[in-house]
Amino acid sequence: MRYLIRSLKYLLYFVIIFFLCLVLVVIFSHQSLADIPSLFKEGSLLPICLIFIGFAALYPAVGYRKARLVLDGEWKDYRDAVMKTMKDAGYRLEQEDARTMKFRSDRATTRISRMWEDAITFELQENDPALVKVDGPSRDTLRLVSGIYYNYRMEHPQSQE
């Protein structure tokens, strides 16, 4: 269901951008808004709509992913590293319970550009206590997992023997 909602949001997003581009073209070419249909060849509306629908259907598969955070110790040891990494990346804790943590971006521009699909969720796995699933935008998820590993190593240096 989440995938369908993301697809519909991005379809709306692409349509709005398309119409804004059309309005800019009309304004800068000194034409009236009534001339918009003359910008397109007859029969091109269906292919344009199919392209938008295709991109909107594929974007959530490419733009969002689930990553894994494999713990060396207990989750409570990683919590401070997670909080520091997320704060440094511009995210704030929105919701927390025993098994999940959900963060949202502090930046309005990020939230708007991602159609309010900016949440990053950390979920402890019941069947494997050393595994945490991280769900969110692809561009942030992998970067944040790497940052968490780095901050954890800085807080818990291992002795060299």
Side-chain angles (χ1 to χ4, degrees):
M1 186 61 148
R2 182 187 288 174
Y3 191 91
L4 177 65
I5 291 170
R6 283 178 178 164
S7 292
L8 292 175
K9 282 183 176 182
Y10 277 101
L11 179 61
L12 177 65
Y13 186 63
F14 295 148
V15 168
I16 290 170
I17 290 173
F18 177 71
F19 280 112
L20 286 175
C21 290
L22 277 178
V23 168
L24 289 175
V25 166
V26 168
I27 289 171
F28 288 120
S29 65
H30 305 290
Q31 298 177 2
S32 71
L33 290 176
D35 293 335
I36 287 179
S38 67
L39 295 174
F40 299 99
K41 189 171 132 181
E42 189 174 328
S44 63
L45 183 61
L46 180 62
I48 290 172
C49 290
L50 291 175
I51 289 170
F52 283 170
I53 290 169
F55 275 114
L58 292 175
Y59 188 78
V62 175
Y64 296 89
R65 75 171 47 208
K66 290 187 182 198
R68 298 181 325 153
L69 180 64
V70 181
L71 308 178
D72 280 342
E74 297 288 320
W75 170 248
K76 62 183 177 180
D77 298 334
Y78 275 84
R79 188 182 184 288
D80 291 337
V82 169
M83 293 300 290
K84 179 183 180 342
T85 304
M86 297 305 286
K87 183 179 181 223
D88 291 347
Y91 283 84
R92 63 177 160 62
L93 182 63
E94 181 179 74
Q95 178 184 355
E96 181 177 17
D97 59 33
R99 301 205 80 58
T100 62
M101 293 175 78
K102 185 176 184 178
F103 292 87
R104 291 270 182 193
S105 178
D106 285 334
R107 297 179 192 107
T109 54
T110 302
R111 299 198 72 195
I112 291 168
S113 69
R114 295 182 184 170
M115 302 291 291
W116 288 267
E117 292 288 341
D118 63 321
I120 296 182
T121 306
F122 294 83
E123 184 178 350
L124 292 163
Q125 300 300 297
E126 286 186 29
N127 57 352
D128 187 359
L131 180 65
V132 178
K133 295 277 182 158
V134 183
D135 184 24
S138 295
R139 64 182 75 128
D140 291 339
T141 304
L142 295 176
R143 177 178 54 89
L144 291 169
V145 167
S146 298
I148 291 166
Y149 283 136
Y150 175 79
N151 286 331
Y152 179 78
R153 285 192 310 273
M154 292 296 113
E155 292 173 5
H156 299 89
Q158 297 193 359
S159 62
Q160 298 290 330
E161 293 182 22

